[in-house]
Amino acid sequence: MNKELSEIINIYATGTSKELNEYLLGKSKNNLMGVLTDLITIYINDKNSSTLREYLTVTIAGYNHTEGKIGYNGYKQNVYGKPIMCEAKPKNVRNGGKRKLNGGGNFTDYTHKRFERDLKEKVHMIASGFVDGKLIYIIEFPFVYKAFTEKLSKQLERRFPKGDVTGQFLRSANFDYRDYIYCEKTKAVFLLSKSDLEKYRENIVKGFYKFLDGISSDD
């Protein structure tokens, strides 16, 4: 974090609105642009919060973002009446790191009850991938796709073979690209061009890269 951003945060948290305004007015345009860029870089790569990545994923996919940890991440109006709800699963990896994008995500604190609710609501899943905060893809597919629901159901059955237990959860129900790429309704909402995608080949697992390259367009 640069010293300018650190000072701004300090004034925001400990000073008054007047003090903050006076400090900002005394800075040049280029200085403020640098501070904003630094702030966005920190925020979008934050390991402990996916809020910004979630917001981008949901809005670029055409949904209205809903804030808060409870409920779905977004919705959009449906011509047939009931809004379509979406569940976003953004994933960020660092260039040169061991973790790679696999088109997947996970559900935290999952239960049979939540699973049944998601099935009933016919939620739309939106999986996205970032490398150092750079958006690589956004893939949308229906939650109700059989291979996908079977993957989640098996994990729940292993954790709760006799049904939900009060106060207990499946901490992480995971999935990856293999659980939805053969669904006819799977679509790329956002995807880098072939040449740009090639730059991130080493950050994406081989099978998923092949899938993305196959549906990506030329420059």
Side-chain angles (χ1 to χ4, degrees):
M1 182 183 298
N2 66 46
K3 293 182 179 180
E4 210 65 76
L5 176 56
S6 177
E7 183 62 21
I8 291 172
I9 293 174
N10 186 287
I11 296 174
Y12 179 90
T14 64
T16 65
S17 296
K18 182 180 179 180
E19 290 173 331
L20 179 61
N21 289 337
E22 290 177 348
Y23 186 84
L24 293 175
L25 287 172
K27 300 303 174 184
S28 68
K29 180 180 178 180
N30 287 340
N31 192 284
L32 291 175
M33 288 174 62
V35 169
L36 179 59
T37 299
D38 198 33
L39 179 60
I40 293 174
T41 300
I42 292 171
Y43 192 16
I44 203 167
N45 284 295
D46 190 348
K47 293 181 180 180
N48 299 311
S49 174
S50 61
T51 302
L52 189 55
R53 297 189 294 273
E54 177 187 292
Y55 176 81
L56 286 170
T57 299
V58 168
T59 55
I60 291 176
Y63 291 81
N64 297 295
H65 184 245
T66 55
E67 298 181 0
K69 294 295 183 180
I70 300 176
Y72 297 115
N73 302 126
Y75 70 93
K76 63 181 176 182
Q77 296 303 319
N78 185 354
V79 293
Y80 299 105
K82 190 175 180 180
I84 299 172
M85 310 306 291
C86 74
E87 183 79 13
K89 300 299 179 185
K91 186 175 182 180
N92 185 54
V93 300
R94 305 309 298 266
N95 193 21
K98 293 182 179 181
R99 295 174 64 242
K100 295 187 178 185
L101 297 173
N102 64 0
N106 66 284
F107 295 79
T108 57
D109 297 342
Y110 213 46
T111 61
H112 285 288
K113 184 177 181 180
R114 274 192 61 191
F115 177 70
E116 292 300 328
R117 181 197 68 175
D118 294 341
L119 276 175
K120 183 179 180 180
E121 289 291 336
K122 296 182 179 179
V123 179
H124 283 210
M125 296 298 303
I126 312 177
S128 61
F130 298 76
V131 177
D132 289 336
K134 170 72 174 180
L135 181 59
I136 309 301
Y137 63 83
I138 299 177
I139 305 293
E140 182 174 358
F141 61 95
F143 181 94
V144 295
Y145 181 57
K146 186 177 180 181
F148 179 75
T149 56
E150 286 181 346
K151 177 68 171 290
L152 296 181
S153 181
K154 288 179 181 178
Q155 293 175 74
L156 283 167
E157 288 296 330
R158 284 197 297 269
R159 178 66 178 86
F160 302 114
K162 297 182 180 180
D164 289 339
V165 178
T166 302
Q168 295 186 28
F169 307 92
L170 172 58
R171 292 304 178 188
S172 180
N174 60 78
F175 66 93
D176 62 40
Y177 74 97
R178 294 169 295 183
D179 303 311
Y180 60 76
I181 61 170
Y182 297 111
C183 175
E184 294 182 352
K185 294 184 178 180
T186 292
K187 62 180 180 179
V189 175
F190 175 91
L191 180 59
L192 293 181
S193 65
K194 285 184 180 295
S195 59
D196 286 334
L197 187 65
E198 169 66 26
K199 300 174 185 177
Y200 299 94
R201 178 190 286 267
E202 298 304 314
N203 303 111
I204 306 171
V205 297
K206 187 176 181 180
F208 187 46
Y209 180 85
K210 183 178 180 181
F211 166 73
L212 293 178
D213 186 60
I215 61 175
S216 180
S217 59
D218 295 322
D219 293 336

